[in-house]
Amino acid sequence: MQQRCCCYSAGVADKSGNAKSPILHSKKGGGRLALRKILAFLYRDFLEQISYKIAFFFEIFGIFASVITFYFLSKLFGGRISPYLEPYGGDYFSFVLIGIAFSNYLGVSLMGLSNSVRSAQVTGTLEALLVTKTSLPFLLFASTVYSFLLTSLSVVVYVVVGVSLFGAKIVGGMNLLSALIILILTIISFTSLGMLSCSFILVFKRGNPFNWIFTTLSELLGGVFYPITILPIWLSKISILLPITHSLKAMRLILLKNYTLAGVSANIIYLTIFSAIMVPIGILSFRIATNKAKRDGTLTHF
């Protein structure tokens, strides 16, 4: 029964409902096996996504609503804060467009892993997944690949709508390789926080203070809606400790001012160090939380 649940959760079963060659249990295949596992998770998440057709419409509508809202807000008071925006080109709409688009990665990192764990608890497949031969870090990674791909698509929609319909001043000759490197570092650093969020879900179930606290701090102090230079000095010192501050600053300088990697090297160094420290802590915390839930017999409770 466990094997069947496990394979179902990855979207691999034959017509009779019995598992095919159990890809989550096999030890052979190396990179090909890892790719098959990721594709299985993607297929599972895709089937779940398309089962809620109206949700996709509301997501697209939400993007248009956000872009329109901040476009008119920029018309209302964008000029008053332009001195603070000079390092980013001086256009508030372009500034905030990147902020709201790329801050979605923080949301999917904190909520994506937690929702994946909660879904596995609800369907009863979490325990089956954890007893497979697949490593814990890989399970955490594979369970969020679809969410990150969907978020990347929404970011593209944000930028395309902002540029084509509302004239956002994204630099045409922007350094795409630099932007990609910052994006990868952003996802890694945010994912480490998602692991900590998952740990709270496993132990406290509905109580997840880490998620609320970090999301609130990031939105208020991370420079999503306004430059951190308008903050009091003591708050700006807190903001530079947040990874989203460095991610958004680097991304804005690259997309709005065509900076190269050398120009955002300080932000790259911070994100690299943050990831190197927090990823092992996140994996360890999730492992400890999982073991505690197993000992308490609450692994499948939610």
Side-chain angles (χ1 to χ4, degrees):
M1 181 63 181
Q2 272 191 340
Q3 189 181 47
R4 181 176 175 180
C5 289
C6 177
C7 291
Y8 167 75
S9 70
V12 181
D14 61 20
K15 295 181 180 179
S16 64
N18 296 319
K20 293 180 181 179
S21 55
I23 61 173
L24 293 179
H25 289 274
S26 175
K27 297 181 180 179
K28 300 180 180 180
R32 290 181 58 190
L33 177 60
L35 179 60
R36 289 177 60 196
K37 292 177 183 179
I38 293 174
L39 291 176
F41 274 95
L42 284 172
Y43 181 63
R44 179 203 64 178
D45 294 336
F46 174 73
L47 290 179
E48 182 178 354
Q49 182 75 27
I50 62 174
S51 66
Y52 301 98
K53 297 180 177 61
I54 195 170
F56 178 76
F57 168 78
F58 281 115
E59 287 179 7
I60 297 298
F61 177 78
I63 292 175
F64 275 89
S66 296
V67 173
I68 292 172
T69 298
F70 284 101
Y71 173 75
F72 287 114
L73 283 175
S74 70
K75 292 295 184 182
L76 177 64
F77 61 83
R80 296 182 59 185
I81 63 172
S82 58
Y84 296 100
L85 298 174
E86 287 183 6
Y88 308 102
D91 180 55
Y92 176 70
F93 177 63
S94 302
F95 175 91
V96 76
L97 178 68
I98 293 176
I100 59 176
F102 285 92
S103 64
N104 286 335
Y105 284 108
L106 177 63
V108 75
S109 297
L110 290 175
M111 296 299 297
L113 279 171
S114 299
N115 290 340
S116 180
V117 169
R118 177 57 55 83
S119 176
Q121 287 178 311
V122 172
T123 57
T125 59
L126 178 61
E127 193 169 9
L129 283 170
L130 292 175
V131 299
T132 65
K133 300 298 182 181
T134 306
S135 68
L136 178 60
F138 184 87
L139 284 175
L140 293 174
F141 168 75
S143 64
T144 58
V145 170
Y146 184 83
S147 297
F148 278 114
L149 289 177
L150 197 62
T151 300
S152 298
L153 177 61
S154 72
V155 168
V156 171
V157 174
Y158 267 110
V159 174
V160 170
V161 171
V163 172
S164 60
L165 299 183
F166 299 98
K169 298 176 182 178
I170 306 296
V171 178
M174 57 188 177
N175 191 332
L176 294 179
L177 178 60
S178 299
L180 179 61
I181 291 174
I182 295 298
L183 178 59
I184 292 173
L185 288 173
T186 297
I187 291 175
I188 294 173
S189 61
F190 287 177
T191 300
S192 67
L193 300 173
M195 294 177 190
L196 293 174
S197 179
C198 272
S199 302
F200 277 97
I201 287 291
L202 286 173
V203 175
F204 300 106
K205 310 309 176 187
R206 293 182 183 273
N208 191 354
F210 176 84
N211 196 344
W212 181 85
I213 292 173
F214 206 89
T215 300
T216 302
L217 284 176
S218 296
E219 290 181 350
L220 289 177
L221 306 178
V224 176
F225 304 109
Y226 41 77
I228 64 171
T229 50
I230 71 173
L231 297 172
I233 295 177
W234 67 276
L235 281 179
S236 63
K237 290 181 178 179
I238 297 175
S239 70
I240 62 175
L241 299 177
L242 302 173
I244 191 172
T245 302
H246 298 271
S247 297
L248 290 181
K249 180 180 180 180
M251 195 65 71
R252 282 165 173 150
L253 290 175
I254 291 172
L255 297 183
L256 301 180
K257 299 289 288 184
N258 203 21
Y259 272 44
T260 63
L261 290 179
V264 295
S265 58
N267 305 112
I268 291 176
I269 291 172
Y270 175 87
L271 291 173
T272 302
I273 294 175
F274 184 90
S275 301
I277 295 173
M278 294 304 298
V279 168
I281 291 177
I283 294 174
L284 179 61
S285 68
F286 188 83
R287 195 181 302 277
I288 292 174
T290 301
N291 292 335
K292 176 175 172 50
K294 287 180 178 179
R295 290 195 305 270
D296 296 342
T298 61
L299 187 60
T300 58
H301 295 176
F302 56 92

